[in-house]
Amino acid sequence: MLGCRAARRAALTDEFDAVSRSSLGIDGGVGAESEVSAITHLYAGIPVADLNVSIAWYTRFFGRGPDFRAGDEILWEIAPAATLFIEPNAERAGTGRITLSVTGLDVLLEAFGVRRIDHEPIETYSNGVRHVWIPDPDGNEIAFAEPPDTA
């Protein structure tokens, strides 16, 4: 029996192989229409070394427990069409990298401070985007970026 992650990957691979790159809009760039498929949800995974340590940290990070568990994957719904999951994978732990666009970065960072979540210094890019890294216990890089028009 395939695990949840393996089954999901197999289904996505089969679906991708069933259509051409151009019909998915890959060759046409952003906004190209697809005749066959549309992305409806994002699942982003972070590999962790110790699942229990990471569940505790991500529970503090999100300010709430996970929404559900699928096998060894622990999942938090972070937006209406976006889910972040952690999964035990000691070999790849610390290699994850994800950036989330937000509004109210300062308020968010204050809330992290209350929950004992440390962050790197805030950087402001030449285009006005404010960006900050928050490393998890394994060193996976979770970042928040705030566009200049929302600061």
Side-chain angles (χ1 to χ4, degrees), residues 27-106:
D27 294 325
V30 174
E33 290 189 32
S34 168
E35 298 173 13
V36 180
S37 158
I39 295 170
T40 61
H41 200 98
L42 169 68
Y43 291 91
I46 302 285
V48 300
D50 185 317
L51 194 58
N52 291 326
V53 167
S54 293
I55 290 171
W57 188 86
Y58 280 90
T59 294
R60 282 195 343 268
F61 180 81
F62 288 116
R64 61 185 172 80
D67 293 304
F68 54 100
R69 181 180 193 136
D72 285 340
E73 296 176 355
I74 310 300
L75 301 98
W76 283 265
E77 292 183 12
I78 60 173
T83 300
L84 180 85
F85 67 91
I86 58 173
E87 63 180 336
N89 186 334
E91 195 173 288
R92 294 188 58 220
T95 64
R97 186 174 178 182
I98 185 167
T99 300
L100 304 168
S101 181
V102 298
T103 60
L105 181 62
D106 294 323

